[in-house]
Amino acid sequence: MRWGLIGASNIAARHMIGAFRAAGGEVAAVMSADAARGRAFAEAHDIARAAASVEDLLGADIDAVYISTTNEKHLAQALAAVTAGKHVLCEKPLALTVADARAMVRAADDAGVVFATNHHLRNAGSHLAIKQLIDDGRIGEVLSMRIFHAVLLPDHLRGWRIDNPSAGGGVILDIVVHDADTARFHLDEDPVQVAAMDSEGALGRGVEDSVMSVWRMPSGVMVQTHESFTHPHAGSGLEVHGTAGSITARDVMTQRPVGEVALRTAGATASTEAVAFSGHNLYIRAVERFMRATVGEGAPAATGLDGVKSLAVAAAVKQASVSGAQVAVDYGDAAAEAN
């Protein structure tokens, strides 16, 4: 597969270019609206072509695009790629609104191209192991879940994330979407109602930099989440509690295949055991799943619909934090579609 990068981004440089190549793909071109930046990026990463516009990139000999520009640009860029018949792997959040995200996915469906969301966490060995424990009934019926994803945003990522609401800045669009996808992945259901409070000022200027929320699932399972840009020592992870045991995972809400997972079971043979998991590269697995999907072999790890639904949860969290009221999650016409 020949890839075109829409965006000369940090994540492309640090993770995705290597993943495309490790999966057997070729990175054929990169597009940046800043022509000098695009040329420098192409040279630094051994990419043959630098394009200064999406139209120029789409005119290259490529099969798929990876979109990692700022969030407000995703809609137009994705629609252009779909119109040109290219498969699309898009960073989260897919767009600034659920309606726009759904339009992107619908256009790809109509054009017969694969559209996927780069939700990396569901590709981690730790999360795959947690999912298996839940599915195997090792903790019985799930009662609740807690996701703690409060970190200190690295200096090189601050920029628009902490001061530009029009670009989709703020911790809700940046991290809540990850946690929404994580909860949906593990629990196989979609949040229906949320309550939330947020704050800004430690880092955020005009956007929130911390948020806590509670979500209700259709089954009655409660999910509690904490996301922040301002916590240097909190660590990250999740807990899943059930009628027959609990899973505790530390340092697993990350781009690296690290962390610890423990299973605590109840009853006469109560015990706590460390759970082994694969240390594979998260992004390589995601790219391999995507590439297979383009030739009709299964689905991407996270589909476009997964991206729509994670954005819908984040939008509800934002609305709840602003209004102070409990908010029903509005999935639009995606609500009737299968997970």
Side-chain angles (χ1 to χ4, degrees), residues 36-263:
R37 175 182 172 86
R39 289 192 298 270
F41 190 94
E43 182 177 356
H45 299 286
D46 196 24
I47 300 171
R49 179 173 178 179
S53 69
V54 172
E55 292 73 23
D56 185 16
L57 179 90
L58 295 175
D61 180 17
I62 58 174
D63 306 301
V65 300
Y66 166 62
I67 300 175
S68 61
T69 49
T70 50
N71 303 326
E72 84 284 6
K73 298 174 182 174
H74 292 178
L75 174 64
Q77 292 169 341
L79 291 178
V82 166
T83 299
K86 312 301 181 184
H87 304 293
V88 177
L89 176 60
C90 188
E91 274 302 326
K92 56 78 212 166
L94 293 185
L96 297 185
T97 70
V98 174
D100 284 350
R102 190 65 189 95
M104 296 156 67
V105 175
R106 187 183 299 111
D109 289 343
D110 291 343
V113 297
V114 172
F115 189 104
T117 310
N118 201 28
H119 275 310
H120 62 278
L121 290 173
R122 60 168 62 205
N123 291 285
S126 56
H127 287 271
L128 293 169
I130 293 165
K131 171 72 169 167
Q132 194 65 56
L133 291 172
I134 296 170
D135 289 350
D136 288 347
R138 296 293 301 279
I139 62 170
E141 180 182 351
V142 176
L143 300 172
S144 66
M145 182 176 194
R146 183 171 80 93
I147 303 175
F148 42 106
H149 203 161
V151 299
L152 182 64
L153 189 67
D155 289 342
H156 72 274
L157 293 181
R158 291 186 182 182
W160 60 270
R161 285 178 173 83
I162 63 171
D163 64 8
N164 192 341
S166 65
V171 75
I172 293 176
L173 281 182
D174 201 59
I175 302 185
V176 172
V177 287
H178 280 310
D179 297 343
D181 187 68
T182 297
R184 293 186 60 251
F185 174 68
H186 287 306
L187 302 179
D188 288 324
E189 56 180 346
D190 301 324
V192 293
Q193 191 173 34
V194 306
M197 295 180 68
D198 68 21
S199 64
E200 67 174 83
L203 278 181
R205 298 186 296 277
V207 298
E208 77 288 338
D209 52 30
S210 292
V211 63
M212 291 185 176
S213 59
V214 178
W215 315 341
R216 186 187 304 278
M217 298 304 227
S219 64
V221 170
M222 301 292 287
V223 178
Q224 177 189 21
T225 79
H226 178 202
E227 296 85 8
S228 182
F229 287 157
T230 67
H231 285 48
H233 308 297
S236 71
L238 60 85
E239 300 170 357
V240 191
H241 304 288
T243 55
S246 291
I247 301 164
T248 302
R250 297 286 305 185
D251 301 322
V252 297
M253 310 300 289
T254 172
Q255 295 165 312
R256 296 176 295 122
V258 298
E260 299 176 349
V261 178
L263 171 66

